[in-house]
Amino acid sequence: QVQVVESGGGLVQPGGSLTLSCVVSGLDLEYYAIGWFRQVPGKEREGVSCLRIRDSREYYADSVKGRFFIIKNNAEDTVNLQMNSLKPEDTAVYYCAAVGLHNLDLWSDPNDYDYWGQGTQVTVSS
């Protein structure tokens, strides 16, 4: 049984940092990519970042390049999203998702992904 669980969301002031963690069980991640998405009410789910586990290839949305970093934590077996210099427009529910490499076409297309977590709320506000 595959499970995807995110954690680490919360309230942070503009300019602050937050790290989200994603634990995926039931998959051999060597054959998968892990993506982070976000969604605000009334808008489509947006691809934020993706990590191909096998070769550590990273992908980022233009809106977060240089501020967000996707990291495989081998000690804890998590895929983390380190978010720095946060802005109010980063406020959203953040989701972690897994996609088999054979199914990965466009990393930022949520329709490509097979398994999803329940989401964690990130609010950037003073």
Side-chain angles (χ1 to χ4, degrees), residues 74-93:
N74 291 319
E76 298 183 359
D77 205 18
T78 60
V79 177
N80 297 340
L81 186 68
Q82 173 69 43
M83 305 186 294
N84 303 317
S85 302
L86 283 160
K87 306 175 181 179
E89 51 264 42
D90 294 318
T91 295
V93 176

Side-chain angles (χ1 to χ4, degrees), residues 42-77:
K43 291 193 174 181
E44 293 187 353
R45 196 163 291 190
E46 173 193 20
V48 176
S49 182
C50 177
L51 176 67
R52 270 189 344 206
I53 302 298
R54 175 177 287 181
D55 59 5
S56 301
R57 172 78 184 270
E58 300 173 17
Y59 304 86
Y60 295 97
D62 288 343
S63 58
V64 306
K65 274 181 186 174
R67 299 190 299 122
F68 289 15
F69 301 93
I70 191 166
I71 302 164
K72 177 73 163 58
N73 184 324
N74 291 319
E76 298 183 359
D77 205 18

Side-chain angles (χ1 to χ4, degrees), residues 4-16:
V4 180
V5 180
E6 309 97 336
S7 61
L11 173 64
V12 62
Q13 292 188 342

Side-chain angles (χ1 to χ4, degrees), residues 2 5 11 16 23 25 33 39 58 63 91 94 106 115 121 126:
V2 178
V5 180
L11 173 64
V23 177
S25 58
Q39 190 169 25
E58 300 173 17
S63 58
T91 295
Y94 282 72
L106 181 63
Y115 306 100
Q121 176 71 46
S126 54

